[in-house]
Amino acid sequence: MNITRLIIFISALHGAVGVALAAAASHGADKSPLLGTASQFLMIHAACGLALAAYLGSIARNDRILVGSIISMQLGVTLFSTDLVSRAYLGDRLFPFAAPLGGGLTLLAWISLALWSLVHIRQKII
């Protein structure tokens, strides 16, 4: 399977779920803070995933560090947001430390992306 298409697929799902959660948050006052946060994270990272997929598909083909950063970011935001939705609708966590694990993975993915860009700026490839 083409990794760029997989990233686009996951990003599209993040966008769709983000829109659905935004609608749910606007109609459910008691659950809206958790759903609103999950929606924001998914929407922001959907756009980021699409932009990075475009870059990956056009310029940075087969860059394993970039692909790892993108997939880690998508996995982290999925885990974080799923835990928030679980708290809102099921009244309990997905599993212990799911949100901190997802948030931490997302943060590490952003840091690895920043470091990746620094290396490529120095090499004047970007």
Side-chain angles (χ1 to χ4, degrees):
M1 177 178 226
N2 182 319
I3 194 68
T4 303
R5 289 187 182 133
L6 177 62
I7 292 166
I8 293 169
F9 174 75
I10 294 168
S11 296
L13 289 179
H14 283 169
V17 173
V19 169
L21 289 175
S26 71
H27 297 293
D30 58 331
K31 299 174 184 175
S32 64
L34 292 172
L35 299 179
T37 299
S39 173
Q40 288 175 345
F41 268 72
L42 288 167
M43 295 297 290
I44 289 166
H45 289 87
C48 179
L50 291 174
L52 289 169
Y55 182 79
L56 182 66
S58 65
I59 298 171
R61 298 181 190 275
N62 301 320
D63 190 313
R64 291 182 183 185
I65 294 175
L66 181 59
V67 168
S69 296
I70 299 167
I71 296 296
S72 296
M73 186 181 296
Q74 290 183 319
L75 180 60
V77 77
T78 299
L79 185 56
F80 177 80
S81 297
T82 302
D83 187 67
L84 295 183
V85 171
S86 178
R87 291 180 198 196
Y89 285 116
L90 303 177
D92 200 7
R93 299 173 188 272
L94 187 60
F95 58 84
F97 302 106
L101 179 63
L105 185 58
T106 304
L107 180 61
L108 288 174
W110 278 107
I111 291 168
S112 72
L113 183 60
L115 293 174
W116 174 88
S117 69
L118 282 177
V119 167
H120 287 81
I121 286 170
R122 291 181 57 114
Q123 294 176 357
K124 298 180 184 175
I125 293 175
I126 288 184

